[in-house]
């Protein structure tokens, strides 16, 4: 009996790997990690071939959260598809919204008002902080430390309240619209955000002293799953995973969109602070640094937001000109790319493809996990910060 | 994406027989290349210092169809490869067109590029799973998102769902209908 079946109609030269149960050595065992597992971030299954605690082969099996979003998009108008983009990465919903809105606007040459761009940047950076909190909290939980996760959940509550005041929702916002945003951000909310930012920096310091500077935490994460620069490029990593490996690439700087070209912020990279460049501790530290950068961006955006409209004039039946576009933005989990092809006649996309950072991060698993112990594999997987809906769409 | 149309012209001058067409205008300038020369061209743009395309952004597949009186006629598939160079300053886009010969089989001539990029294998597996395009000499081509015993390729325009999967009906059930006391 084979664990994974394969398609009988192979074509020349291709192989289909599977993990065999027959002729396995006496000490080795094939076990499932997932899909129901507290440490896989969502429903992800990894089939492991283990010898005691040491993993000799790993094969991720995804698709448990595949909802066919790309096929659904072919049957809906561009405006109606926006709530689906929330669910691509529910922890950073606004980033997914604005990525999609931007792809449609670039293909259709639709102007976005200035104030709407600032609103998008403010909500996107707040979402980035939210998402990175949800990355650094579960790293600690997967190692057995539960308190940092509770700290992080409490902080997220503060941001939830602000996002609820802005958009009306706590997790999936449906905030962006083609041509702008759905609601304006009032001055009162902007003052609340600034007050929260005053609280954020001392909190990050406290959080880092609580867990990041903890000797056990460091020992468990340093030199674990080191991804070198060339490997990171080859695996098409993006976002914090790529920067933690030492590559200074941020789409907000290299290919600016919205108002990021007017804002002053740094792009932190991994420096091998406690171990090697590109190890799991670097990936953890990278997200802490990026939260601090997001705070800078937020302060500047709040102080320089102009007055004006928040939604441009876009027809209800939006037909994009015939053509195709691949447009990408910097989501907290990496490069979020939308490929849209329009046939010029209908108000629905002919093809919509979503490229997510988590999908390419998963390609490192089969390469890096063999040789680790199961507990280390859990820690490495947590440091990659993947979410299942981004992988499966 | 910072597309640089001079790169397309450079590609055309270096591979005059393999680049069939160059689309330099529009939001995504790309070069249409022959499927059989894909591996050679990709190897060149990855390793040549003039291109240095060390980063694979995405591989996308589109089902090209012709609608005639409400019925879809499958013409072929477009495969779009997006690359970015090592400094993330320039991008290039390649397009490959595979014809569908109408009898249900595709002329599978696309080689896999997974020897050049480690992430290519998963992109290609997703395309095989959802579109049904085989990639030659792939080190592992199996279904990735759908269960391994699924029949059909959903993202195709002429896909119709199987009525049941492992005895689970895939359509809506008619229970409410059967409960109507008329």
């Amino acid at each position: 009996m084979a664990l994974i079946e394969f398609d009988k109609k192979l074509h020349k030269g291709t192989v289909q790997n599977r993990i065999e149960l027959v002729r396995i050595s006496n000490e080795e065992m094939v076990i499932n990690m997932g899909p129901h597992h507290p440490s896989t971030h969502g429903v992800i299954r990894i089939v492991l071939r283990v010898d005691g605690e040491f993993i000799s082969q790993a094969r991720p099996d995804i698709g448990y959260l595949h909802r066919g979003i790309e096929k659904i998009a072919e049957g809906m108008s561009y405006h109606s598809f926006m709530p689906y983009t929330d669910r691509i990465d529910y922890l950073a919903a606004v980033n997914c919204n604005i990525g999609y809105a931007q792809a449609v606007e670039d293909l259709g040459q639709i102007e976005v008002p200035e104030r709407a761009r600032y609103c998008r940047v403010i909500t996107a950076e707040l979402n980035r902080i939210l998402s990175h909190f949800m990355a650094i909290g579960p790293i600690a939980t997967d190692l057995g430390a539960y308190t940092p996760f509770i700290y992080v959940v409490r902080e997220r509550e503060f941001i939830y309240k602000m996002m609820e005041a802005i958009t009306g929702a706590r997790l999936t916002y449906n905030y962006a619209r083609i041509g702008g945003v759905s609601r304006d951000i009032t001055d009162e909310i902007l003052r609340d955000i600034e007050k929260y930012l005053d609280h954020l920096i001392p909190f990050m310091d406290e959080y880092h002293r609580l867990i990041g500077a903890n000797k056990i935490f460091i020992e468990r994460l340093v030199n674990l799953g080191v991804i070198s620069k060339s490997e990171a490029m080859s695996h098409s990593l993006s976002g914090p995973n790529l920067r933690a490996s030492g590559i200074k690439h941020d789409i907000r700087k290299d290919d600016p969109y919205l108002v990021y070209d007017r804002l002053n912020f740094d792009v932190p990279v991994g420096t091998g602070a406690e171990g090697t460049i590109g190890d799991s501790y670097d990936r953890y530290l990278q997200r802490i640094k990026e939260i601090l950068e997001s705070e800078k961006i937020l302060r500047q955006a709040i102080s320089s937001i102009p007055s004006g409209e928040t939604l441009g004039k876009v027809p209800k039946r939006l037909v994009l000109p015939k053509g195709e576009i691949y447009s990408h933005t910097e989501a907290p989990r990496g490069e979020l790319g939308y490929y849209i092809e329009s046939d010029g006649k209908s108000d629905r996309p002919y093809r919509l493809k979503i490229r997510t950072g988590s999908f390419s991060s998963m390609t490192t698993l089969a390469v890096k996990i063999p040789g680790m112990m199961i507990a280390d594999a859990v820690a490495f997987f947590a440091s990659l910060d993947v979410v299942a809906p981004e992988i499966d769409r | 994406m910072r597309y640089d149309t001079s790169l397309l012209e450079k590609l055309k001058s270096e591979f005059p027989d393999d680049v069939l067409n160059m689309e330099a205008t529009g939001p995504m300038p790309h070069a249409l290349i022959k499927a059989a020369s894909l591996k050679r061209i990709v190897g060149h743009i990855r390793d040549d210092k003039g291109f240095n395309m060390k980063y694979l952004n995405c591989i996308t597949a589109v089902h090209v169809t012709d609608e005639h009186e409400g019925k879809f006629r499958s013409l072929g598939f477009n495969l779009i490869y997006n690359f970015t160079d090592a400094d993330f300053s320039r991008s290039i886009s390649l397009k490959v067109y595979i014809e569908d010969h109408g009898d249900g089989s595709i002329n599978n001539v696309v080689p896999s590029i997974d020897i050049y990029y480690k992430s290519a294998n998963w992109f290609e597996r997703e395309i095989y799973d959802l579109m049904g395009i085989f990639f030659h000499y792939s080190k592992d081509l199996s279904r990735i998102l759908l269960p391994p015993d699924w029949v059909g390729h959903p993202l195709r325009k002429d896909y119709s769902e199987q009525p049941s999967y492992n005895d689970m009906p895939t359509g809506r059930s008619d229970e409410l209908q059967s409960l109507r006391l008329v």
Side-chain angles (χ1 to χ4, degrees), chain A residues 7 9 11 13-17 59 62-63 71 74 234-238 249 254-255 324 326 328 335 339 350-351 353 355 362-363 393, chain B residues 1-2 30 55-57 61 63 65 80 88 95 108 118-119 122 125-126 128 134-142 144-145 154 156-157:
Chain A
D7 194 317
K9 290 197 284 296
H11 212 264
T14 60
V15 293
Q16 289 188 329
N17 289 333
R59 185 169 164 80
I62 61 175
K71 182 87 179 182
E74 293 175 11
S234 187
H235 280 288
S236 297
L237 290 185
S238 47
H249 167 59
D254 291 334
D255 193 6
E324 56 202 345
Y326 176 76
H328 60 175
E335 171 180 337
Y339 170 86
Y350 185 76
R351 171 84 169 100
K353 152 95 183 182
R355 180 258 196 241
M362 286 290 284
T363 57
R393 285 156 280 131
Chain B
M1 295 287 276
R2 293 180 185 274
H30 57 268
Y55 191 80
L56 172 66
N57 286 88
H63 191 190
T65 57
I80 292 118
F88 296 96
K95 194 186 254 198
N108 298 322
K118 295 206 182 87
S119 57
W122 271 42
R125 278 178 70 184
E126 186 193 349
Y128 163 62
F134 281 109
F135 290 88
H136 284 197
Y137 302 109
S138 163
K139 65 177 188 249
D140 177 12
L141 194 72
S142 47
I144 189 169
L145 291 174
R156 291 193 183 186
K157 297 284 184 187

Coordinates of all heavy atoms in Angstrom, one line a residue, chain A residues 7 9 11 13-17 59 62-63 71 74 234-238 249 254-255 324 326 328 335 339 350-351 353 355 362-363 393, chain B residues 1-2 30 55-57 61 63 65 80 88 95 108 118-119 122 125-126 128 134-142 144-145 154 156-157:
Chain A
D7 N -0.7 9.5 -10.7 CA -1.4 9.4 -11.9 C -0.8 8.4 -12.8 O 0.4 8.4 -13.1 CB -1.4 10.8 -12.5 CG -2.4 11.0 -13.6 OD1 -2.6 10.1 -14.4 OD2 -3.0 12.1 -13.6
K9 N -1.1 8.1 -16.0 CA -0.6 8.6 -17.4 C 0.6 9.5 -17.2 O 0.5 10.7 -17.1 CB -1.8 9.4 -18.0 CG -2.9 8.5 -18.4 CD -3.8 9.2 -19.4 CE -4.7 10.2 -18.8 NZ -5.7 9.7 -17.8
H11 N 4.2 11.2 -18.5 CA 4.8 11.5 -19.8 C 6.3 11.3 -19.7 O 6.8 11.2 -18.6 CB 4.4 12.9 -20.1 CG 4.3 13.1 -21.6 ND1 5.3 13.5 -22.4 CD2 3.3 12.8 -22.5 CE1 4.9 13.6 -23.7 NE2 3.7 13.1 -23.7
G13 N 10.0 10.9 -19.3 CA 11.0 11.6 -18.4 C 10.5 12.0 -17.1 O 11.3 12.3 -16.2
T14 N 9.2 12.1 -16.9 CA 8.8 12.6 -15.6 C 8.7 11.5 -14.6 O 8.5 10.4 -14.9 CB 7.4 13.3 -15.6 OG1 6.5 12.3 -16.1 CG2 7.4 14.4 -16.6
V15 N 8.9 11.8 -13.3 CA 8.8 10.8 -12.3 C 7.8 11.4 -11.3 O 7.5 12.6 -11.2 CB 10.1 10.5 -11.5 CG1 11.1 9.8 -12.4 CG2 10.7 11.8 -11.0
Q16 N 7.2 10.5 -10.6 CA 6.3 10.9 -9.5 C 6.7 10.2 -8.2 O 6.7 9.0 -8.1 CB 4.8 10.5 -9.8 CG 4.3 11.4 -11.0 CD 2.9 11.2 -11.2 OE1 2.3 10.2 -11.0 NE2 2.2 12.3 -11.6
N17 N 7.1 11.1 -7.3 CA 7.7 10.5 -6.1 C 6.6 10.1 -5.1 O 5.5 10.6 -5.1 CB 8.5 11.6 -5.3 CG 9.8 11.9 -6.1 OD1 10.3 11.0 -6.8 ND2 10.3 13.1 -5.9
R59 N 7.7 15.0 3.0 CA 7.0 15.4 1.8 C 5.7 16.1 2.2 O 4.8 15.5 2.8 CB 6.6 14.1 1.1 CG 6.0 14.4 -0.3 CD 5.9 13.1 -1.1 NE 5.0 13.3 -2.1 CZ 5.2 13.9 -3.3 NH1 6.4 14.4 -3.5 NH2 4.3 13.9 -4.2
I62 N -0.3 19.3 0.5 CA -1.2 20.4 0.7 C -2.5 20.3 0.0 O -2.7 19.3 -0.7 CB -0.5 21.7 0.3 CG1 -0.1 21.7 -1.2 CG2 0.8 21.9 1.1 CD1 0.4 23.0 -1.7
G63 N -3.3 21.2 0.1 CA -4.6 21.2 -0.7 C -5.8 21.0 0.2 O -6.9 20.8 -0.3
K71 N -10.8 29.8 -9.8 CA -11.9 29.5 -10.7 C -13.1 30.3 -10.4 O -13.8 30.7 -11.3 CB -12.2 28.0 -10.5 CG -13.3 27.5 -11.4 CD -12.7 27.0 -12.8 CE -13.8 26.5 -13.6 NZ -13.3 26.0 -14.9
E74 N -13.3 33.6 -12.1 CA -13.6 33.7 -13.5 C -15.1 33.9 -13.7 O -15.6 34.2 -14.8 CB -13.2 32.5 -14.2 CG -11.7 32.4 -14.3 CD -11.2 31.1 -14.9 OE1 -12.0 30.4 -15.5 OE2 -10.0 30.8 -14.8
S234 N 16.7 30.8 -5.2 CA 16.3 29.7 -6.0 C 14.9 29.2 -5.6 O 14.1 28.7 -6.4 CB 17.3 28.6 -5.9 OG 17.0 27.5 -6.7
H235 N 14.6 29.3 -4.3 CA 13.3 28.8 -3.8 C 12.2 29.9 -3.9 O 11.1 29.7 -3.5 CB 13.4 28.4 -2.3 CG 14.0 27.1 -2.1 ND1 13.3 25.9 -2.3 CD2 15.1 26.7 -1.5 CE1 14.0 24.9 -2.0 NE2 15.1 25.3 -1.5
S236 N 12.6 31.0 -4.6 CA 11.7 32.1 -4.7 C 11.1 32.6 -3.4 O 9.9 32.9 -3.4 CB 10.5 31.8 -5.7 OG 11.0 31.5 -7.0
L237 N 11.9 32.6 -2.4 CA 11.4 33.1 -1.1 C 11.1 34.6 -1.3 O 11.7 35.3 -2.1 CB 12.4 32.9 0.0 CG 12.6 31.5 0.5 CD1 13.5 31.5 1.7 CD2 11.3 30.8 0.9
S238 N 10.3 35.1 -0.4 CA 10.0 36.6 -0.5 C 9.6 37.1 0.9 O 9.4 36.3 1.8 CB 8.9 36.9 -1.5 OG 7.8 36.0 -1.3
H249 N 15.8 43.1 -0.2 CA 14.8 43.3 -1.3 C 13.4 43.5 -0.6 O 12.9 42.7 0.1 CB 14.7 42.1 -2.2 CG 13.5 42.1 -3.1 ND1 13.2 43.1 -4.0 CD2 12.5 41.2 -3.3 CE1 12.1 42.8 -4.6 NE2 11.7 41.7 -4.2
D254 N 11.9 48.6 -3.9 CA 12.4 48.3 -5.2 C 11.4 48.6 -6.4 O 11.8 48.8 -7.5 CB 12.8 46.8 -5.3 CG 14.0 46.6 -4.4 OD1 14.8 47.5 -4.2 OD2 14.2 45.4 -4.0
D255 N 10.1 48.5 -6.1 CA 9.1 48.7 -7.1 C 8.0 49.4 -6.5 O 6.9 48.8 -6.3 CB 8.7 47.3 -7.6 CG 8.0 47.4 -8.9 OD1 7.8 48.5 -9.5 OD2 7.5 46.3 -9.3
E324 N -3.0 41.7 -20.3 CA -2.7 40.9 -19.1 C -1.7 41.7 -18.3 O -1.0 42.6 -18.8 CB -2.1 39.6 -19.5 CG -0.9 39.8 -20.3 CD -0.5 38.6 -21.2 OE1 -1.1 37.5 -20.8 OE2 0.3 38.7 -22.1
Y326 N 0.9 41.4 -14.5 CA 1.3 40.7 -13.3 C 1.7 41.8 -12.4 O 2.7 42.5 -12.6 CB 2.4 39.7 -13.6 CG 3.0 39.1 -12.3 CD1 2.3 38.1 -11.7 CD2 4.2 39.6 -11.8 CE1 2.8 37.6 -10.5 CE2 4.6 39.0 -10.6 CZ 3.9 38.0 -10.0 OH 4.4 37.5 -8.8
H328 N 2.6 43.0 -8.3 CA 2.9 42.5 -7.0 C 3.0 43.5 -6.0 O 3.3 44.7 -6.2 CB 4.2 41.6 -7.1 CG 5.4 42.3 -7.5 ND1 6.6 41.8 -7.6 CD2 5.6 43.6 -8.0 CE1 7.5 42.6 -8.0 NE2 6.9 43.8 -8.2
E335 N 5.9 38.1 -1.3 CA 5.4 38.8 -2.5 C 4.0 38.2 -2.8 O 3.8 37.0 -3.1 CB 6.3 38.5 -3.7 CG 5.8 39.0 -5.0 CD 6.8 38.7 -6.1 OE1 7.9 38.6 -5.9 OE2 6.3 38.7 -7.3
Y339 N -1.9 37.9 -11.2 CA -1.9 37.9 -12.7 C -3.3 37.9 -13.1 O -4.1 37.1 -12.8 CB -1.2 36.6 -13.2 CG -1.3 36.5 -14.7 CD1 -0.4 37.1 -15.5 CD2 -2.3 35.7 -15.2 CE1 -0.5 36.9 -16.9 CE2 -2.5 35.6 -16.6 CZ -1.6 36.2 -17.4 OH -1.7 36.1 -18.8
Y350 N -10.7 36.9 -17.3 CA -10.6 35.6 -18.0 C -9.7 34.6 -17.2 O -10.0 33.5 -17.2 CB -10.0 35.9 -19.4 CG -9.9 34.7 -20.3 CD1 -11.1 34.3 -20.9 CD2 -8.8 34.0 -20.5 CE1 -11.1 33.2 -21.7 CE2 -8.7 32.9 -21.3 CZ -9.9 32.5 -21.9 OH -9.9 31.4 -22.7
R351 N -8.7 35.2 -16.6 CA -7.9 34.3 -15.7 C -7.3 35.2 -14.6 O -6.9 36.3 -14.9 CB -6.7 33.7 -16.6 CG -5.7 33.0 -15.8 CD -6.1 31.5 -15.5 NE -5.0 30.8 -15.0 CZ -4.8 30.5 -13.7 NH1 -5.7 30.9 -12.8 NH2 -3.8 29.8 -13.3
K353 N -4.7 34.7 -11.4 CA -3.8 33.8 -10.7 C -3.2 34.6 -9.5 O -2.8 35.7 -9.7 CB -2.7 33.3 -11.7 CG -1.4 33.0 -11.1 CD -1.3 31.5 -10.8 CE 0.0 31.2 -10.1 NZ 0.3 29.9 -9.8
R355 N -0.3 34.6 -6.7 CA 1.0 34.1 -6.3 C 1.3 34.5 -4.9 O 1.3 35.7 -4.7 CB 2.1 34.6 -7.3 CG 3.5 34.1 -7.0 CD 4.3 35.1 -6.3 NE 5.7 34.7 -6.3 CZ 6.5 34.5 -5.2 NH1 6.0 34.6 -4.0 NH2 7.8 34.2 -5.4
M362 N 7.0 27.0 1.2 CA 6.8 25.6 1.5 C 7.8 24.7 0.7 O 8.0 23.6 1.1 CB 5.4 25.1 1.1 CG 4.3 25.6 2.1 SD 4.4 24.8 3.7 CE 3.7 23.2 3.3
T363 N 8.3 25.2 -0.4 CA 9.2 24.4 -1.2 C 10.5 24.2 -0.4 O 11.3 23.2 -0.7 CB 9.6 25.1 -2.5 OG1 10.1 26.4 -2.3 CG2 8.3 25.2 -3.4
R393 N -5.1 28.4 -1.5 CA -6.1 29.3 -2.2 C -7.3 28.6 -2.6 O -7.7 28.5 -3.7 CB -5.4 29.9 -3.5 CG -4.5 31.0 -3.2 CD -3.4 31.1 -4.3 NE -2.4 30.1 -4.2 CZ -2.0 29.4 -5.2 NH1 -2.5 29.5 -6.4 NH2 -1.1 28.5 -5.0
Chain B
M1 N 6.3 45.7 -11.4 CA 7.4 44.9 -12.0 C 8.1 45.9 -12.9 O 7.5 46.5 -13.8 CB 6.8 43.8 -12.8 CG 6.1 42.7 -12.0 SD 7.3 41.7 -11.2 CE 7.7 40.5 -12.4
R2 N 9.4 45.9 -12.8 CA 10.1 46.8 -13.7 C 10.5 46.1 -14.9 O 11.6 45.5 -15.0 CB 11.4 47.3 -13.0 CG 11.1 48.2 -11.8 CD 12.4 48.6 -11.1 NE 12.2 49.3 -9.9 CZ 12.1 50.6 -9.9 NH1 12.0 51.3 -11.0 NH2 11.9 51.2 -8.7
H30 N 6.3 41.0 -23.0 CA 6.8 39.6 -22.9 C 7.3 39.2 -24.3 O 7.1 39.8 -25.3 CB 5.7 38.7 -22.4 CG 4.5 38.7 -23.3 ND1 3.4 39.5 -23.1 CD2 4.2 37.9 -24.4 CE1 2.5 39.3 -24.0 NE2 2.9 38.3 -24.8
Y55 N 15.8 35.0 -10.1 CA 14.6 34.9 -9.2 C 13.4 34.6 -10.1 O 13.1 35.3 -11.1 CB 14.3 36.2 -8.5 CG 13.3 36.2 -7.4 CD1 13.6 35.7 -6.2 CD2 12.0 36.7 -7.6 CE1 12.7 35.6 -5.2 CE2 11.1 36.7 -6.6 CZ 11.4 36.2 -5.4 OH 10.5 36.1 -4.4
L56 N 12.7 33.5 -9.8 CA 11.5 33.2 -10.6 C 10.3 33.7 -9.8 O 10.0 33.2 -8.7 CB 11.4 31.7 -10.7 CG 10.1 31.0 -11.3 CD1 10.0 31.4 -12.7 CD2 10.2 29.5 -11.2
N57 N 9.6 34.6 -10.3 CA 8.4 35.2 -9.6 C 7.3 34.2 -9.6 O 6.7 33.9 -8.6 CB 7.9 36.5 -10.2 CG 8.9 37.6 -9.9 OD1 9.8 37.9 -10.6 ND2 8.6 38.3 -8.9
A61 N -0.5 29.5 -16.0 CA -1.0 28.9 -17.2 C -2.4 29.5 -17.5 O -3.2 29.7 -16.6 CB -1.1 27.4 -17.0
H63 N -5.8 29.0 -20.1 CA -6.5 28.2 -21.1 C -7.0 29.1 -22.2 O -8.0 29.8 -21.9 CB -7.6 27.3 -20.5 CG -8.1 26.2 -21.4 ND1 -9.2 25.5 -21.0 CD2 -7.7 25.8 -22.5 CE1 -9.5 24.6 -22.0 NE2 -8.5 24.8 -22.9
T65 N -9.2 29.8 -25.2 CA -10.4 29.2 -25.8 C -11.0 30.2 -26.8 O -10.8 31.4 -26.8 CB -11.4 28.8 -24.8 OG1 -11.8 29.9 -24.1 CG2 -10.9 27.7 -23.9
I80 N 3.0 31.5 -18.8 CA 3.7 32.7 -18.7 C 4.7 32.6 -17.5 O 4.4 32.2 -16.4 CB 2.7 33.9 -18.3 CG1 1.9 34.1 -19.5 CG2 3.4 35.1 -18.0 CD1 0.4 33.9 -19.3
F88 N 17.0 42.7 -8.3 CA 15.6 43.1 -8.3 C 15.3 44.4 -9.0 O 14.5 45.2 -8.5 CB 15.0 43.1 -6.9 CG 15.1 41.7 -6.2 CD1 16.1 41.3 -5.4 CD2 14.1 40.8 -6.5 CE1 16.2 40.1 -4.9 CE2 14.1 39.5 -5.9 CZ 15.2 39.2 -5.1
K95 N 6.6 33.9 -22.7 CA 5.3 33.2 -22.9 C 5.5 32.1 -23.8 O 6.3 32.2 -24.8 CB 4.3 34.2 -23.5 CG 2.9 33.8 -23.5 CD 2.0 34.8 -24.2 CE 1.2 35.6 -23.3 NZ 0.1 36.2 -23.9
N108 N 2.2 17.7 -25.7 CA 3.0 18.1 -24.6 C 4.5 18.3 -25.0 O 5.2 17.3 -25.1 CB 3.0 17.0 -23.5 CG 1.6 16.8 -23.0 OD1 0.8 17.8 -22.9 ND2 1.2 15.6 -22.8
K118 N 14.6 26.0 -7.8 CA 14.0 25.0 -6.9 C 12.5 25.2 -6.6 O 11.9 24.3 -6.2 CB 14.8 25.0 -5.5 CG 16.2 24.6 -5.7 CD 16.7 24.1 -4.3 CE 18.2 23.7 -4.4 NZ 19.1 24.8 -4.1
S119 N 12.0 26.4 -6.9 CA 10.6 26.6 -6.6 C 9.8 26.2 -7.8 O 8.6 26.1 -7.7 CB 10.4 28.1 -6.3 OG 10.8 28.9 -7.3
W122 N 7.1 23.1 -7.7 CA 5.7 23.3 -7.2 C 4.8 24.1 -8.1 O 3.6 23.8 -8.2 CB 5.8 23.9 -5.8 CG 6.0 22.9 -4.7 CD1 6.8 21.8 -4.7 CD2 5.3 22.9 -3.4 NE1 6.6 21.1 -3.6 CE2 5.8 21.7 -2.8 CE3 4.4 23.7 -2.8 CZ2 5.3 21.4 -1.5 CZ3 4.0 23.4 -1.5 CH2 4.4 22.3 -0.9
R125 N 3.8 21.7 -10.7 CA 2.8 20.7 -10.2 C 1.5 21.3 -10.1 O 0.5 20.7 -10.4 CB 3.3 20.2 -8.8 CG 4.3 19.2 -8.9 CD 4.8 18.8 -7.5 NE 3.7 18.0 -6.8 CZ 3.8 17.6 -5.5 NH1 4.9 17.9 -4.8 NH2 2.9 16.9 -5.0
E126 N 1.4 22.6 -9.7 CA 0.1 23.2 -9.6 C -0.5 23.4 -11.0 O -1.7 23.1 -11.1 CB 0.2 24.6 -8.9 CG -1.1 25.2 -8.6 CD -1.0 26.7 -8.3 OE1 0.1 27.2 -8.0 OE2 -2.1 27.3 -8.2
Y128 N 0.1 21.4 -13.6 CA -0.3 20.1 -14.0 C -1.6 19.7 -13.3 O -2.5 19.2 -14.0 CB 0.8 19.1 -13.7 CG 0.3 17.7 -13.7 CD1 -0.2 17.1 -14.9 CD2 0.3 16.9 -12.6 CE1 -0.7 15.8 -14.9 CE2 -0.2 15.6 -12.6 CZ -0.7 15.1 -13.8 OH -1.2 13.8 -13.8
F134 N 1.5 18.6 -19.0 CA 2.6 17.9 -18.6 C 3.9 18.6 -18.8 O 4.1 19.4 -19.7 CB 2.7 16.5 -19.3 CG 1.8 15.5 -18.8 CD1 0.7 15.1 -19.6 CD2 1.9 14.9 -17.6 CE1 -0.2 14.2 -19.1 CE2 1.1 13.9 -17.2 CZ 0.0 13.6 -17.9
F135 N 4.9 18.4 -17.9 CA 6.2 19.0 -18.1 C 7.2 17.9 -18.2 O 7.3 17.0 -17.3 CB 6.5 19.9 -16.9 CG 5.7 21.1 -16.8 CD1 4.5 21.1 -16.1 CD2 6.1 22.3 -17.4 CE1 3.7 22.3 -16.1 CE2 5.4 23.4 -17.3 CZ 4.2 23.4 -16.7
H136 N 7.9 17.9 -19.3 CA 8.9 16.8 -19.5 C 10.0 16.9 -18.5 O 10.5 18.0 -18.2 CB 9.6 17.0 -20.9 CG 8.7 16.6 -22.0 ND1 9.2 16.4 -23.3 CD2 7.4 16.4 -22.1 CE1 8.3 16.1 -24.1 NE2 7.2 16.1 -23.4
Y137 N 10.6 15.8 -18.1 CA 11.8 15.6 -17.3 C 11.6 16.4 -16.0 O 12.6 16.8 -15.4 CB 13.0 16.1 -18.1 CG 13.2 15.4 -19.4 CD1 13.0 16.0 -20.6 CD2 13.6 14.1 -19.4 CE1 13.2 15.3 -21.8 CE2 13.8 13.3 -20.5 CZ 13.5 14.0 -21.7 OH 13.7 13.3 -22.9
S138 N 10.4 16.5 -15.5 CA 10.2 17.0 -14.2 C 10.7 16.0 -13.2 O 10.5 14.8 -13.4 CB 8.8 17.4 -14.0 OG 8.5 17.5 -12.6
K139 N 11.3 16.4 -12.1 CA 11.7 15.4 -11.1 C 10.6 14.9 -10.3 O 10.7 13.9 -9.6 CB 12.8 16.0 -10.2 CG 12.4 17.1 -9.3 CD 13.6 17.6 -8.4 CE 13.1 18.6 -7.4 NZ 13.6 19.9 -7.6
D140 N 9.5 15.6 -10.3 CA 8.3 15.1 -9.5 C 7.1 15.8 -10.0 O 6.9 17.0 -9.7 CB 8.6 15.4 -8.0 CG 7.4 15.0 -7.1 OD1 6.5 14.3 -7.6 OD2 7.3 15.4 -6.0
L141 N 6.3 15.1 -10.8 CA 5.1 15.8 -11.3 C 3.9 15.0 -10.8 O 3.6 13.9 -11.3 CB 5.1 15.8 -12.8 CG 4.1 16.7 -13.5 CD1 4.5 18.1 -13.3 CD2 4.0 16.4 -15.0
S142 N 3.3 15.5 -9.7 CA 2.1 14.8 -9.2 C 1.1 15.9 -8.8 O 1.5 17.0 -8.7 CB 2.4 13.8 -8.1 OG 3.3 14.5 -7.2
I144 N -0.9 18.3 -6.6 CA -0.5 19.0 -5.4 C -1.6 19.5 -4.6 O -1.6 19.4 -3.4 CB 0.6 20.1 -5.7 CG1 1.3 20.6 -4.5 CG2 0.0 21.2 -6.5 CD1 2.4 21.5 -4.8
L145 N -2.6 20.1 -5.2 CA -3.7 20.7 -4.5 C -4.9 19.8 -4.3 O -5.5 19.7 -3.3 CB -4.2 22.0 -5.1 CG -3.2 23.1 -5.0 CD1 -3.7 24.3 -5.8 CD2 -2.9 23.6 -3.6
P154 N -9.5 21.2 -13.1 CA -10.6 22.2 -12.9 C -10.4 23.5 -13.5 O -11.4 24.1 -13.9 CB -10.6 22.3 -11.4 CG -10.0 21.1 -10.8 CD -9.0 20.7 -11.8
R156 N -9.5 24.4 -16.3 CA -9.8 24.5 -17.8 C -11.2 25.0 -17.9 O -12.1 24.8 -17.1 CB -9.7 23.1 -18.4 CG -8.4 22.5 -18.4 CD -8.4 21.3 -19.3 NE -7.0 20.8 -19.4 CZ -6.7 19.8 -20.1 NH1 -7.6 19.2 -21.0 NH2 -5.5 19.3 -20.1
K157 N -11.4 25.7 -19.1 CA -12.7 26.3 -19.3 C -13.8 25.3 -19.6 O -14.9 25.5 -19.4 CB -12.6 27.3 -20.5 CG -11.7 28.4 -20.3 CD -12.3 29.5 -19.4 CE -11.4 30.6 -19.2 NZ -11.9 31.6 -18.3

